[in-house]
Amino acid sequence: MAYPLHRATLAAFVAAALAAPAWADSTSSASSAASQSVGSISGSIEHSSNSSSGDRNVAEGEYRIIEVAEVAGQPGTQRLTLQAVQPAGAAGADEFFLYVPQPVVEQGKLAPGGLVMARHKPYGLEFAHAKTLKGFFMALKDEWYRELQTRPVSL
């Protein structure tokens, strides 16, 4: 029984941590900050046709932003093309797409040439600026993401 409590506690912690910047900005609400900074892995990550893998696994490490583009049919969503930064002489470059809300791109000043860090967490993947390690997006495992969804309660 402790496992669901642990999951709920972590979900509350993640939501509170993501809402913290909103408290400092009087024009934002905690719910909008959290919804703009969190997504599910299945809805946020897609491997490109150049990738050797068809799954949504992403290696931990540094990635260069190759392109930032609007997503047709999804207003307010931007697609970041990320390519692994490889050591000199390394073969192959892992590449994938990260789908994020437009405000994340604007607030994070994400642009081609920028470097981001992907870090594995027990609840998913954290994406942060490579220099500052300041997180800008969480791609939660689908089961964790479902726990954060609001549901109407009937009494």
Side-chain angles (χ1 to χ4, degrees):
M1 200 63 171
Y3 184 69
L5 179 59
H6 173 70
R7 183 177 281 181
T9 302
L10 183 56
F13 173 75
V14 169
L18 292 171
W23 296 331
D25 181 359
S26 62
T27 62
S28 298
S29 71
S31 63
S32 67
S35 67
Q36 292 173 355
S37 302
V38 176
S40 68
I41 286 179
S42 65
S44 302
I45 295 174
E46 176 182 79
H47 279 276
S48 71
S49 58
N50 297 336
S51 174
S52 61
S53 174
D55 60 21
R56 295 191 185 328
N57 290 331
V58 171
E60 194 168 84
E62 196 172 50
Y63 290 84
R64 182 172 313 282
I65 301 172
I66 304 300
E67 179 184 44
V68 178
E70 291 185 19
V71 179
Q74 294 184 37
T77 301
Q78 297 284 300
R79 183 184 77 188
L80 306 177
T81 304
L82 300 177
Q83 186 176 60
V85 174
Q86 300 289 330
D94 192 21
E95 186 176 288
F96 68 96
F97 301 123
L98 177 64
Y99 295 87
V100 298
Q102 175 70 36
V104 170
V105 172
E106 293 168 357
Q107 292 169 2
K109 297 180 176 130
L110 302 173
L115 295 175
V116 300
M117 183 69 70
R119 297 185 289 194
H120 290 270
K121 302 291 182 183
Y123 40 83
L125 277 166
E126 176 189 32
F127 291 92
H129 293 277
K131 287 185 180 179
T132 64
L133 297 180
K134 181 178 178 186
F136 62 85
F137 189 75
M138 289 291 303
L140 297 177
K141 293 177 182 177
D142 292 350
E143 60 272 14
W144 286 87
Y145 186 72
R146 281 191 296 271
E147 293 292 323
L148 291 178
Q149 300 303 302
T150 56
R151 294 175 191 89
V153 177
S154 58
L155 300 175

